[in-house]
Amino acid sequence: GGLLLRIANPYGLPSWRGAWSDCSGCWTPEMELDAEYFKNHRPENEFVMCFSDAKKYFDRWDLACLWDRAHSRSQISSVWTGESAAGSGLVGGVAAYMQNPQVLVDVQPLSYGAACLRSTIQITIAQRALGGTKKLHPISAVLISAGSGAVTKKLHSYSEDMVVETAGEYRICESVTLTAVLPEGRYVLVPSTQL
């Protein structure tokens, strides 16, 4: 019994030799089927160990919770035109910048037993040239903490201490990606372009 972890060792060897290793007597054909882990047909760098052994031998953890695509992926399509094409804020400052589209990102609680875990999110902002031109614009994005209050309408301002992550400097490319490790909470994503 107990929780089993399927681990990928990016360095390959040496491999785990304890309980639930490939040479362990713990595996039965039924267990392999239930776990969908076939010790003789797996990538060379993968192995299984029980959670209690992992806690004993590892002092740092990077966990990736994988959900089916319906739960972990959302796609929003829109066009920046008129007043929603507010730009980078170089002209008009923060008030102009906050006229860009805004997307509310709710990070739900993620826990294992009594431990509250953080969620890793990855957001990609993509553009394509419209109207038969091949011209791309410099793009970027910022993720802002919305605090504990309810966000019911578009934000009109923010301060630097509210910025959780950015997609970096403006770049002329098809897409930019923002990756952040976040606790439960509400965040606002503001994509922008330099026109």
Side-chain angles (χ1 to χ4, degrees):
L3 181 66
L4 297 179
L5 300 178
R6 187 173 183 170
I7 300 173
N9 177 358
Y11 306 107
L13 298 174
S15 188
W16 172 244
R17 298 279 179 229
W20 296 102
S21 68
D22 292 352
C23 59
S24 165
C26 298
W27 289 107
T28 65
E30 294 79 17
M31 276 298 299
E32 286 186 20
L33 193 58
D34 285 345
E36 295 180 11
Y37 179 81
F38 304 96
K39 62 183 184 177
N40 295 324
H41 304 288
R42 56 145 181 88
E44 184 62 34
N45 67 333
E46 281 188 9
F47 62 93
V48 172
M49 79 182 347
C50 65
F51 186 66
S52 60
D53 280 339
K55 288 192 308 185
K56 188 182 337 177
Y57 293 106
F58 294 103
D59 59 3
R60 181 168 183 258
W61 297 65
D62 290 316
L63 299 177
C65 297
L66 304 177
W67 310 99
D68 67 44
R69 290 178 180 238
H71 289 91
S72 63
R73 182 178 175 144
S74 296
Q75 184 171 340
I76 300 170
S77 296
S78 66
V79 177
W80 282 324
T81 59
E83 290 185 15
S84 74
S88 64
L90 289 176
V91 177
V94 172
Y97 180 78
M98 296 308 285
Q99 293 304 309
N100 280 301
Q102 296 181 16
V103 178
L104 182 63
V105 179
D106 265 324
V107 176
Q108 300 299 316
L110 181 62
S111 61
Y112 176 76
C116 291
L117 306 174
R118 292 175 173 253
S119 296
T120 301
I121 66 162
Q122 186 173 51
I123 299 171
T124 300
I125 307 296
Q127 67 174 323
R128 65 174 185 222
L130 298 176
T133 70
K134 294 190 177 195
K135 182 178 179 184
L136 297 174
H137 297 285
I139 56 175
S140 189
V142 64
L143 188 64
I144 301 167
S145 173
S148 58
V151 177
T152 57
K153 57 185 178 179
K154 199 170 191 177
L155 295 180
H156 296 288
S157 67
Y158 73 96
S159 59
E160 286 301 315
D161 63 321
M162 295 169 65
V163 174
V164 177
E165 191 61 67
T166 73
E169 299 292 324
Y170 285 91
R171 290 183 299 228
I172 299 173
C173 55
E174 290 184 357
S175 65
V176 294
T177 299
L178 178 152
T179 303
V181 179
L182 303 172
E184 173 187 3
R186 299 194 113 184
Y187 303 87
V188 175
L189 174 71
V190 183
S192 62
T193 183
Q194 287 181 330
L195 299 174

